[in-house]
Amino acid sequence: MRRALDLAREAAADGEVPVGAVVTKGEQIIAEARNAMRGSLDPTAHAEVVAIRHAAVTLGQSRLDGCTLWVTLEPCAMCAGAIALARLDGLRFGAEDPKGGGVVHGARVFNQPTCHHRPDVLGGIGEAESAELLRDFFGDRR
């Protein structure tokens, strides 16, 4: 999670919402990304989606069996869908997102009967630091 938090800081420095994501396989980082929606003019360039894309290329396959995604903020419904489609074994996230989350809030994608893959989910890892980054980022813009 430490690397994901560093990536979130980099995103904030570039004016992006501070979210960072890392995909690991065992102890090895195989992909990492940060939010890049503004810079890339791509509304789907959430840190999770970009990291999943990089991990698939690195492994040369679309299914990320044996991999875990570490992200600083609870994934939205779009990202939760991508996590399920990628068949990630685990999801670890920092701060919950009551407004836009899709895992423990909102759509609760993994709880839907149409979701064919449910990763092992654990939230609250680095939660205080993740939440502080978001508060500071949005506080500076109000």
Side-chain angles (χ1 to χ4, degrees):
M1 187 59 81
R2 176 67 34 217
R3 180 62 185 142
L5 286 162
D6 290 343
L7 291 162
R9 281 188 204 80
E10 290 175 19
D14 284 344
E16 301 277 358
V17 174
V19 177
V22 172
V23 178
T24 60
K25 188 161 189 164
E27 298 294 319
Q28 182 182 5
I29 292 176
I30 60 169
E32 59 183 42
R34 59 188 184 81
N35 269 2
M37 296 170 295
R38 289 180 176 207
S40 67
L41 303 177
D42 179 356
T44 69
H46 291 201
E48 301 95 310
V49 170
V50 177
I52 288 168
R53 288 176 183 158
H54 290 315
V57 169
T58 298
L59 294 177
Q61 59 192 40
S62 61
R63 290 190 176 203
L64 303 180
D65 300 312
C67 295
T68 299
L69 176 69
W70 300 76
V71 61
T72 58
L73 181 65
E74 174 188 349
C76 70
M78 175 186 71
C79 293
I83 290 163
L85 290 170
R87 304 297 199 267
L88 283 151
D89 283 358
L91 167 63
R92 307 294 181 256
F93 69 88
E96 290 187 4
D97 187 357
K99 291 182 180 179
V103 177
V104 296
H105 295 93
R108 294 186 172 116
V109 171
F110 304 134
N111 293 341
Q112 301 307 313
T114 54
C115 183
H116 300 295
H117 175 78
R118 293 165 182 82
D120 177 58
V121 177
L122 181 60
I125 301 170
E127 180 176 16
E129 196 170 347
S130 296
E132 181 180 7
L133 284 169
L134 290 158
R135 268 192 309 276
D136 291 349
F137 179 81
F138 288 111
D140 290 345
R141 280 151 183 76
R142 292 188 179 123

